[in-house]
Amino acid sequence: KAAVGAPNVLGDCPFSQRALLTLEEKKIPYNIHLIDISNKPQWFLEVNPEGKVPVIKFDDKWVPDSDVIVGILEDKYPEPPLATPTEFASVYDPLFLSF
């Protein structure tokens, strides 16, 4: 997501930032395309009709939803492991949802 009024600056979307931080921490090369949410480009709506961010392309398939994206990245690139350990999931899930 681009910053409001600054289409070339990363915005404040925590979901996009989560996917981006996962890519960075796992040192996975990527190309970033910032999307102006108030003026979505046609190509973006064609690959992602709901128009939500983030969206990532895996093996010629566009995948939306940061949870799904991070899950795929964790499966394809297990090192370093970034997933919440199962023994902490019962604490993490309600805490994250409360925010």
Side-chain angles (χ1 to χ4, degrees), residues 24-41:
E24 287 286 329
E25 285 297 314
K26 290 183 173 284
K27 299 186 182 349
I28 302 167
Y30 61 90
N31 294 319
I32 190 168
H33 300 279
L34 298 176
I35 303 300
D36 179 350
I37 297 300
S38 63
N39 187 23
K40 298 171 187 162

Side-chain angles (χ1 to χ4, degrees), residues 21 25 28 33 35 38 52 54 59 62 65 73 78-79 86 96 98:
L21 287 171
E25 285 297 314
I28 302 167
H33 300 279
I35 303 300
S38 63
K52 295 180 181 179
D59 304 321
W62 290 91
D65 190 303
L73 291 173
E79 296 298 324
T86 54
F96 182 75
S98 69

Side-chain angles (χ1 to χ4, degrees), residues 10-81:
L10 182 63
D12 60 357
C13 174
F15 305 106
S16 295
Q17 291 175 358
R18 179 180 179 212
L20 182 60
L21 287 171
T22 301
L23 290 164
E24 287 286 329
E25 285 297 314
K26 290 183 173 284
K27 299 186 182 349
I28 302 167
Y30 61 90
N31 294 319
I32 190 168
H33 300 279
L34 298 176
I35 303 300
D36 179 350
I37 297 300
S38 63
N39 187 23
K40 298 171 187 162
Q42 187 59 38
W43 71 264
F44 178 72
L45 293 172
E46 288 171 7
V47 300
N48 184 20
E50 291 185 26
K52 295 180 181 179
V53 293
V55 63
I56 193 167
K57 189 175 183 181
F58 287 114
D59 304 321
D60 294 325
K61 181 181 177 195
W62 290 91
V63 178
D65 190 303
S66 63
D67 286 336
V68 175
I69 291 168
V70 169
I72 292 171
L73 291 173
E74 195 65 32
D75 289 343
K76 290 182 82 153
Y77 305 93
E79 296 298 324

Side-chain angles (χ1 to χ4, degrees), residues 88-99:
F88 297 117
S90 64
V91 173
Y92 171 79
D93 290 341
L95 183 64
F96 182 75
L97 293 173
S98 69
F99 285 103

